[in-house]
């Protein structure tokens, strides 16, 4: 869930710890201080009085300083910050009830204690699978850590790892090729794990500013933007879902080679070995630099192998970079851009339809997804729910075995030639067009016709669905549908549906109305509403080029009242007319709809279509 969306859900007290951390960073003259001052200049009361969207922007501008702030917290090695951060950055753990977080924390402690016992036995046993070279690496790191921690006690000081010592230890672990899990196990073999009270854990994470906690809902929230920062702190270069997507392209002998290198049981199932590699925190870049190639591969052969992996497996054409390091860095950047992209890849409705049909074809999938992402709800195959966790259609399909994907494709008559996952995603893109084809039926709130046409929707959702489709149509006409600017202008009393930003302080206001009745006939109420929007815009020194009212149809009386109104530059457009304009525009020479054509009281469809065809 995005930071501004989380902030919208919380009260001022629940945001307080986070605001304090950001305020402290701002007081120390951060790199982007001027841009931050520009945002804060609109508020006399400082950061607390700034709206949530601008707080999100300020957080983005201080992200590097925030990362440094979190790294400093690692000097207190009794804080268990590595354990806790590794839990909250896992895919699916960005929204958690307190009791669920408590269970995950307890399970992690037990898992670590068990692994530490095994590691200590491996140190001592001659029959261990660990090679002598690996044992030597472990001993080197363990000895250095021991000295860094206990030299304070020898000098009658409080035991802690200084920032310099931490920097050296991190460099050492990297050079020895230790995974994060291996490092963690050695750390806690010297400093025994003490299970902390869950309330103290939540309080410490909240005070650092990395989580939000809703007292009302007993729920922990970790913003998507925060997850990316914490991942960098833990030197995890990509999200687990992208790591998994890459590993699944490798043959089992290569997976075994990686497992052997990092003390992972090679007798596990192929899919389980992949999950263990991810959990181990094996460096993604190190993996692509050396671990996935045959022994003795030349640099040229490695580059060729990586190019093939990207082109044929990940569908990334022409991975940039002349060196292997550059190619790996560009692949990591690609995954970062994909994660930041708010587009789902298919419509949300298409995602819902995909999930429904996956559940019908593969009834065990719900349980598997729930387990994979450690989700609490019983039924998780819901688009809006998964998107709050930043889980997209491709992420779900990546988890399904090839055999089950084949079955699903056959069950739903999806194209079989080519890449299975891309074929499925393409197949479910059509739902958005299905809704657009039924745009007028949505406007008329005609549930029966929608159902007959294969669309299942609640009546309570039709108003918002009509607004969403209208927004999509105006975007398709080349307009800047400015949601951010609209939110800045809207008040609790006056909330316009759609704002088209024409730049230079010029706007078009669009209001959407659905109606079961034939002939929309509520001019007095809608005119009051539109005049309040007009006043709101004028107060902000904006020029209103046009106000558009979109409805299924208008009565003669409504049109007459509109013609008599002298205060608003209002035009009426029926749903069918707007849809036909949209279709004609796609075939026209224009990149952006010429809004001067919005000049009639009731938009003349025939005249506009003729103008577009010229």
């Amino acid at each position: 869930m995005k930071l501004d969306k989380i902030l919208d859900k919380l009260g001022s007290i629940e945001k307080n710890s986070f605001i304090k951390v950001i305020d402290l960073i701002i007081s120390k003259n951060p790199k982007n201080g001027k841009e931050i001052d520009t945002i804060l200049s609109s508020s006399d009361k400082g950061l607390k009085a700034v709206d949530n969207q601008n707080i999100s922007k300020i957080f983005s501008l201080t992200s590097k300083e925030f990362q440094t702030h979190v790294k400093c917290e690692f000097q207190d090695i009794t804080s268990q910050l590595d354990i806790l951060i590794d839990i909250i950055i896992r895919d699916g753990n960005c929204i958690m009830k307190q009791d669920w977080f408590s269970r995950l924390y307890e399970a992690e402690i037990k898992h670590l204690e068990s692994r530490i016992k095994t590691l200590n036995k491996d140190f001592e046993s001659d029959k261990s699978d660990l090679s002598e070279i690996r044992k030597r690496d472990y001993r080197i790191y363990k000895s250095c850590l021991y000295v860094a921690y206990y030299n304070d006690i020898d000098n009658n000081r409080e035991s802690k790892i200084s920032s310099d010592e931490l920097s050296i230890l991190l460099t050492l672990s990297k050079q020895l090729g230790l995974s994060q899990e291996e490092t963690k196990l050695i750390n806690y073999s010297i400093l025994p794990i003490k299970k902390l009270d869950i309330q103290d854990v939540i309080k410490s994470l909240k005070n650092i500013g990395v989580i939000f906690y809703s007292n009302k809902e007993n729920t922990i929230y970790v913003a998507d933007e925060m997850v990316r920062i914490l991942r960098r702190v833990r030197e995890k270069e990509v999200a687990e879902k992208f790591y998994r997507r890459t590993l699944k392209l490798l043959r089992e002998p290569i997976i075994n080679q990686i497992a052997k290198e990092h003390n992972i049981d090679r007798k596990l199932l192929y899919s389980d070995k992949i999950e263990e590699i991810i959990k181990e925190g094996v460096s993604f870049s190190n993996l692509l630099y050396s671990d996935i190639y045959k022994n003795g591969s030349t640099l040229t052969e490695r580059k060729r192998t990586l190019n093939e992996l990207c082109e044929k497996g990940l569908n990334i054409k022409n991975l940039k970079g002349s060196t292997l390091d550059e190619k790996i860095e560009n692949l990591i950047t690609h995954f970062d851009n994909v994660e930041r992209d708010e587009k789902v890849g298919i419509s949300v409705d298409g995602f819902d339809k995909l999930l429904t049909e996956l559940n019908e074809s593969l009834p065990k999938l719900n349980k598997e997804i729930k387990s994979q992402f450690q989700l609490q709800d019983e039924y998780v195959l819901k688009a809006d729910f998964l998107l709050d966790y930043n889980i997209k259609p491709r992420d779900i399909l990546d988890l399904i075995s090839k055999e089950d994907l084949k079955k699903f494709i056959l069950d739903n008559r999806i194209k079989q030639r080519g890449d299975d996952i891309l074929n499925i995603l393409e197949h479910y893109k059509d739902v958005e067009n299905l809704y657009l084809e039924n745009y007028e039926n949505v406007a008329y709130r005609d549930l029966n016709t929608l159902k007959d046409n294969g669309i299942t929707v609640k009546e309570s959702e039709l108003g918002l669905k009509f607004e969403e489709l209208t927004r999509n149509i105006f975007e398709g006409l080349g307009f800047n549908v400015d949601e951010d600017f609209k939110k800045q202008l809207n008040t609790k009393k006056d909330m316009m549906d759609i704002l088209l930003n024409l730049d230079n302080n010029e706007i078009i206001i669009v209001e959407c109305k659905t109606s079961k009745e034939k002939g929309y006939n509520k001019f007095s109420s809608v005119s009051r509403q539109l005049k309040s929007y007009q006043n709101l815009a004028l107060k902000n020194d904006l020029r209103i080029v046009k106000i558009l009212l979109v409805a299924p149809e208008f009565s003669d009386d409504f049109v007459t009242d509109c013609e008599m109104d002298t205060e608003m530059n209002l035009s009426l457009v029926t749903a069918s007319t707007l849809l036909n304009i949209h279709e004609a525009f796609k075939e026209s020479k224009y990149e952006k709809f010429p809004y001067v054509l919005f000049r009639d009281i009731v938009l003349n469809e025939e005249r506009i279509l003729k103008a577009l065809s010229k």
Side-chain angles (χ1 to χ4, degrees):
M1 193 179 284
K2 299 292 177 193
L3 177 59
D4 59 348
K5 194 174 175 183
I6 292 173
L7 293 171
D8 286 342
K9 294 172 75 71
L10 302 171
S12 56
I13 294 173
E14 293 162 333
K15 303 175 195 175
N16 207 28
S17 298
F18 175 73
I19 297 291
K20 278 182 180 177
V21 174
I22 302 300
D23 255 333
L24 182 63
I25 290 171
I26 293 170
S27 70
K28 294 178 179 177
N29 299 318
K31 182 183 176 183
N32 296 315
K34 287 184 180 178
E35 292 94 324
I36 294 166
D37 288 341
T38 303
I39 296 170
L40 290 174
S41 63
S42 60
S43 170
D44 298 329
K45 297 178 182 177
L47 192 59
K48 283 186 179 180
V50 172
D51 66 69
N52 294 330
Q53 280 188 320
N54 277 321
I55 289 175
S56 183
K57 286 178 185 175
I58 289 171
F59 177 64
S60 176
L61 291 167
T62 59
S63 61
K64 286 188 177 177
E65 289 83 0
F66 194 95
Q67 187 174 325
T68 303
H69 153 74
V70 177
K71 278 185 175 179
C72 289
E73 297 293 331
F74 271 87
Q75 290 179 45
D76 177 10
I77 61 172
T78 62
S79 67
Q80 299 181 4
L81 205 52
D82 51 354
I83 297 172
L84 299 170
I85 286 179
D86 285 350
I87 293 172
I88 64 177
I89 64 174
R90 280 183 205 143
D91 294 337
N93 285 355
C94 57
I95 305 171
M96 290 180 284
K97 293 287 185 185
Q98 178 188 307
D99 65 325
W100 187 250
F101 179 49
S102 179
R103 280 188 234 172
L104 293 177
Y105 172 63
E106 285 180 27
E108 192 70 16
I109 297 290
K110 285 179 183 176
H111 175 70
L112 280 170
E113 287 173 340
S114 172
R115 292 285 308 278
I116 289 165
K117 284 180 184 176
T118 304
L119 182 68
N120 288 336
K121 283 181 185 176
D122 285 342
F123 265 131
E124 297 164 7
S125 173
D126 294 331
K127 296 179 181 178
S128 164
D129 285 340
L130 279 176
S131 68
E132 287 304 316
I133 292 173
R134 205 58 177 157
K135 285 182 182 179
R136 182 210 63 185
D137 294 340
Y138 286 179
R139 286 194 189 99
I140 290 170
Y141 180 78
K142 189 172 183 178
S143 298
C144 293
L145 179 68
Y146 185 91
V147 171
Y149 183 67
Y150 282 104
N151 63 4
D152 288 322
I153 294 175
D154 293 340
N155 292 304
N156 201 24
R157 292 194 301 259
E158 182 188 356
S159 292
K160 67 176 185 178
I161 306 281
S162 71
S163 58
D164 287 341
E165 287 170 335
L166 184 63
S167 174
I168 292 167
L169 287 168
L170 287 171
T171 304
L172 179 63
S173 66
K174 189 175 274 189
Q175 291 302 312
L176 293 172
L178 301 182
S179 71
Q180 286 189 340
E181 195 69 10
E182 288 169 312
T183 305
K184 197 194 291 181
L185 290 173
I186 297 170
N187 287 350
Y188 289 107
S189 68
I190 289 176
L191 181 74
I193 305 173
K194 180 186 174 185
K195 185 185 159 193
L196 305 173
D197 181 79
I198 200 64
Q199 289 289 351
D200 292 336
V201 168
I202 290 171
K203 186 179 178 182
S204 67
L205 290 173
K206 202 171 78 167
N207 288 342
I208 295 167
V210 297
I211 68 165
F212 296 95
Y213 183 68
S214 167
N215 293 305
K216 184 180 176 183
E217 299 173 359
N218 284 331
T219 300
I220 291 164
Y221 293 96
V222 192
D224 294 343
E225 299 93 324
M226 185 68 72
V227 169
R228 284 193 287 272
I229 286 177
L230 295 179
R231 216 185 279 135
R232 286 198 293 272
V233 168
R234 296 293 289 136
E235 298 193 354
K236 292 178 187 278
E237 296 125 319
V238 296
E240 290 177 2
K241 55 191 178 184
F242 301 127
Y243 205 148
R244 184 180 297 109
R245 188 179 300 177
T246 307
L247 287 173
K248 286 183 80 173
L249 298 170
L250 304 176
R251 295 181 302 109
E252 188 154 13
I254 299 296
I255 294 294
N256 285 335
Q257 185 176 298
I258 299 164
K260 182 182 178 183
E261 180 67 21
H262 295 284
N263 198 24
I264 295 167
D265 187 356
R266 282 165 285 159
K267 294 174 187 173
L268 293 171
L269 293 172
Y270 174 77
S271 57
D272 291 336
K273 279 182 282 198
I274 284 174
E275 294 306 319
E276 284 302 312
I277 291 168
I278 295 168
K279 286 176 188 172
E280 280 288 314
V282 177
S283 165
F284 185 71
S285 54
N286 284 354
L287 186 95
L288 296 181
Y289 193 83
S290 60
D291 292 358
I292 67 169
Y293 311 104
K294 293 176 183 175
N295 289 328
S297 295
T298 65
L299 197 57
T300 303
E301 287 169 338
R302 290 183 190 184
K303 283 197 277 187
R304 185 167 61 243
T305 300
L306 184 58
N307 283 335
E308 287 176 2
L309 185 77
C310 292
E311 288 178 21
K312 295 178 181 177
L314 297 169
N315 202 35
I316 302 168
K317 307 300 179 189
N318 302 318
L319 182 67
K320 292 180 181 178
S322 56
T323 68
L324 190 58
D325 282 329
E326 286 173 355
K327 286 181 180 295
I328 293 167
E329 191 177 326
N330 285 325
L331 178 58
I332 290 168
T333 301
H334 166 79
F335 282 140
D336 187 52
N337 291 336
V338 171
E339 188 181 15
R340 288 170 186 271
D341 190 353
E342 293 185 31
K343 293 172 188 170
V344 180
I346 58 177
S347 68
V348 176
D349 301 304
F351 193 9
D352 259 327
K353 190 167 190 287
L354 168 63
L355 292 168
T356 300
E357 293 181 0
L358 277 169
N359 189 50
E360 289 169 1
S361 188
L362 307 170
K364 292 181 181 177
L365 183 64
N366 180 67
K367 187 178 179 181
E368 289 168 1
I369 298 301
K370 186 175 181 293
S371 171
Q372 180 68 62
F373 292 111
Q374 297 183 324
L375 301 169
Q376 295 164 262
D377 287 32
E378 282 307 309
Y379 186 75
V380 300
L381 298 179
K382 299 171 285 188
D384 287 334
F385 173 82
L386 292 173
L387 290 173
D388 276 343
Y389 289 86
N390 203 17
I391 299 169
K392 297 175 184 175
R394 177 69 194 256
D395 307 327
I396 297 294
L397 296 174
D398 276 337
L399 295 170
I400 301 172
S401 68
K402 288 182 181 179
E403 295 76 18
D404 283 343
L405 279 180
K406 292 289 183 190
K407 179 183 183 302
F408 177 70
I409 285 169
L410 289 171
D411 287 350
N412 292 277
R413 298 178 182 177
I414 297 167
K415 188 175 82 172
Q416 296 180 52
R417 183 176 291 179
D419 186 282
D420 288 343
I421 288 177
L422 295 181
N423 287 342
I424 292 169
L425 292 174
E426 186 64 35
H427 181 79
Y428 286 92
K429 277 184 179 177
D430 292 337
V431 174
E432 189 170 5
N433 292 328
L434 184 63
Y435 260 105
L436 273 179
E437 288 166 13
N438 285 273
Y439 181 61
E440 195 173 2
N441 293 324
V442 174
Y444 275 118
R445 307 182 74 85
D446 189 346
L447 280 173
N448 291 333
T449 304
L450 288 170
K451 190 175 181 181
D452 291 341
N453 290 343
I455 294 175
T456 304
V457 62
K458 293 177 184 175
E459 186 171 5
S460 60
E461 297 170 351
L462 285 171
L464 285 174
K465 175 55 68 178
F466 185 59
E467 184 179 320
E468 178 192 330
L469 292 170
T470 306
R471 192 183 302 120
N472 291 344
I473 287 172
F474 278 106
E475 284 176 347
L477 291 172
F479 286 104
N480 175 14
V481 180
D482 199 332
E483 288 296 292
D484 291 339
F485 192 29
K486 184 187 79 172
K487 286 177 183 176
Q488 286 177 32
L489 289 176
N490 279 352
T491 65
K492 288 183 179 179
K493 184 181 175 185
D494 300 316
M495 300 185 74
M496 60 185 84
D497 289 342
I498 297 169
L499 183 145
L500 309 181
N501 191 345
L502 306 177
D503 295 324
N504 301 316
N505 287 334
E506 293 185 334
I507 62 169
I508 293 174
I509 296 171
V510 183
E511 184 66 9
C512 307
K513 296 293 181 185
T514 59
S515 177
K516 280 186 178 180
E517 301 165 9
K518 296 288 182 182
Y520 192 70
N521 195 24
K522 298 176 181 176
F523 185 77
S524 58
S525 62
V526 79
S527 65
R528 282 195 299 273
Q529 190 179 5
L530 293 174
K531 282 171 187 173
S532 67
Y533 298 161
Q534 178 176 270
N535 292 334
L536 184 66
L538 293 174
K539 279 180 187 176
N540 285 274
D541 298 319
L542 298 171
R543 177 175 173 265
I544 303 169
V545 172
K546 176 64 69 176
I547 298 175
L548 292 172
L549 178 62
V550 187
E553 61 176 276
F554 303 94
S555 68
D556 291 339
D557 288 343
F558 192 102
V559 174
T560 301
D561 288 340
C562 184
E563 287 172 337
M564 300 296 289
D565 188 279
T566 57
E567 296 180 32
M568 291 186 293
N569 185 10
L570 176 62
S571 288
L572 311 177
V573 54
T574 66
S576 62
T577 292
L578 186 59
L579 187 61
N580 290 335
I581 289 170
H582 179 248
E583 291 301 314
F585 175 78
K586 287 192 283 188
E587 304 299 322
S588 74
K589 64 182 180 183
Y590 297 98
E591 290 184 6
K592 184 176 178 180
F593 183 84
Y595 57 83
V596 292
L597 296 175
F598 293 150
R599 58 173 175 258
D600 309 303
I601 294 297
V602 180
L603 292 194
N604 186 322
E605 180 179 320
E606 185 179 346
R607 179 180 59 77
I608 292 174
L609 297 188
K610 190 181 286 185
L612 289 174
S613 65
K614 286 183 178 178

